[in-house]
């Protein structure tokens, strides 16, 4: 079973926590040669705009106190979907923050405004990096926005994987304009594993939205022997150019027999008969693009 549409993933409904540690409230007010002229309020504003563009909720917090940061990370386990953390100087000293992040079991991205590796040796070590999915340093406030982008993609992927597990769908695709993420797994229609199509996300992405359900099923789609495309791709009716087609109308096929191939993201996916029968209709032409859920053939 496969579908093009899904509800918005629930995990990303929880806001991402953007957490800042000691002295970051001073941003823009002192040492602009190191940390720039933007204030923490400017960073928050930019994060909110980026989160909105990505379809993420966001919460912002700053504390100069290690214990308060630990409390916020502990609470995040229930309240938040992910964490962007600039732990300030606690980065280089705090096992407590490392423990809290590990216990939170949330994807976390560690951000530093400055390139800590260009600075004093004591800033080269981070206690919290082992708990982070990634670290961004030296790109100023842009680092926070890049962290949100990375988390948006990661959360979308993991929510989609959960939906695949819950629903037994074969593939889910999210698209908006040029932005497109597809998560797929092997389906009954394909004995050979359908390679996980690498998510392709255009850099200039607008806010993501889940595609609306496919159009009302045609008569062919309602047919019990309808073989539907489990993915977006290009159909190939024969194994190689110039070779005979896999099947013709009137052919008897066995369960598991390859009916056609769909090429998606440079992966050739054999689409196999799920039951024995006779090819009653071939509804697609060779080398034609197919939509997700489109009826390819009828096996009776
Ligand atoms: O580069 C970063 O983002 C840091 O996390 C900032 C910390 C520093 O201890 C880390 O090594 C790297 C310091 C934040 C202090 O921020 C200030 C900003 C303006 C004026 C004074 C401090």
């Amino acid at each position: 079973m496969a579908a093009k549409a899904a509800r918005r993933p629930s995990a990303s409904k929880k806001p991402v926590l953007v957490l800042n540690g000691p002295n970051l409230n001073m941003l823009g007010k002192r040492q602009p040669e190191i940390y720039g002229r933007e204030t923490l309020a400017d960073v928050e504003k930019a994060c909110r705009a980026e989160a909105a563009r990505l379809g993420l909720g966001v919460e912002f917090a700053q504390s100069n106190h290690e214990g308060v940061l630990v409390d916020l990370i502990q609470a995040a386990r229930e309240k938040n979907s992910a964490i962007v953390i600039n732990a300030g100087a606690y980065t280089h000293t705090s096992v407590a923050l490392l423990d809290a992040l590990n216990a939170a079991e949330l994807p976390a991205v560690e951000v530093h405004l400055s390139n800590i590796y260009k600075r004093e040796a004591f800033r080269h070590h981070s206690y919290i990096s082992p708990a982070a999915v990634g670290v961004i340093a030296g790109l100023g406030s842009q680092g926070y926005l890049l962290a949100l982008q990375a988390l948006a993609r990661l959360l979308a992927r993991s929510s989609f994987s959960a939906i695949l597990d819950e629903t037994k769908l074969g593939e889910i695709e999210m698209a908006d304009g040029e932005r497109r993420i597809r998560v797929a797994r092997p389906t009954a229609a394909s004995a050979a594993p359908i390679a996980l199509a690498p998510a392709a996300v255009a850099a200039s992405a607008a806010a993501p939205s889940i595609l609306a359900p496919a159009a009302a099923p045609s008569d062919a789609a309602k047919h019990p022997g309808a073989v539907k495309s489990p993915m977006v791709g290009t159909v190939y009716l024969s194994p190689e150019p110039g070779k005979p087609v896999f099947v013709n109308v009137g052919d008897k096929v066995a369960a598991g027999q390859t009916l056609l191939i769909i090429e998606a993201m440079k992966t050739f996916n054999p689409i196999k008969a799920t039951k024995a029968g006779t090819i009653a209709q071939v509804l697609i032409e060779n080398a034609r693009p197919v939509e997700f859920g489109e009826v390819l053939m009828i096996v009776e």
Side-chain angles (χ1 to χ4, degrees), residues 5 44 54-55 64 82 99 158 180 182 224-225 231 259 289 296:
E44 177 172 353
L54 293 164
N64 292 328
D99 290 345
S158 56
R180 193 172 283 269
R182 179 169 52 223
M231 65 194 77
L259 304 175
L296 307 165

Side-chain angles (χ1 to χ4, degrees), residues 23 26-27 30-31 35 86 88-89 92 112-114 116 123:
N23 294 311
M26 302 294 286
L27 215 55
R30 305 265 191 287
Q31 296 184 287
Y35 299 114
N86 183 348
H92 318 296
H112 298 286
L113 294 155
S114 61
I116 52 177
R123 295 187 203 273

Side-chain angles (χ1 to χ4, degrees), residues 146-206:
L146 295 172
L148 289 171
Q149 288 167 22
L151 288 171
R153 185 163 164 165
L154 199 139
L155 290 170
R157 277 195 182 179
S158 56
S159 310
F160 280 16
S161 298
I163 291 170
L164 286 179
D165 287 346
E166 274 171 33
T167 61
K168 310 286 180 246
L169 290 170
E171 177 170 312
I172 299 176
E173 183 176 306
M174 178 178 85
D176 183 28
E178 288 175 30
R179 181 191 176 92
R180 193 172 283 269
I181 294 177
R182 179 169 52 223
V183 179
R185 67 170 172 193
T187 66
S190 166
I194 293 175
L196 273 188
V201 179
S204 62

Side-chain angles (χ1 to χ4, degrees), residues 274-285:
T274 52
K275 57 174 189 173
T278 303
I279 304 293
Q281 289 182 62
V282 176
L283 297 160
I284 27 82
E285 289 152 30

Side-chain angles (χ1 to χ4, degrees), residues 22 85-95 97 110-112 116 122-123 125-129:
I85 181 164
N86 183 348
Y90 288 142
T91 304
H92 318 296
T93 62
S94 179
V95 177
L97 289 184
E110 177 183 348
V111 170
H112 298 286
I116 52 177
F122 65 82
R123 295 187 203 273
H125 178 258
S126 163
Y127 276 93
I128 66 170
S129 292

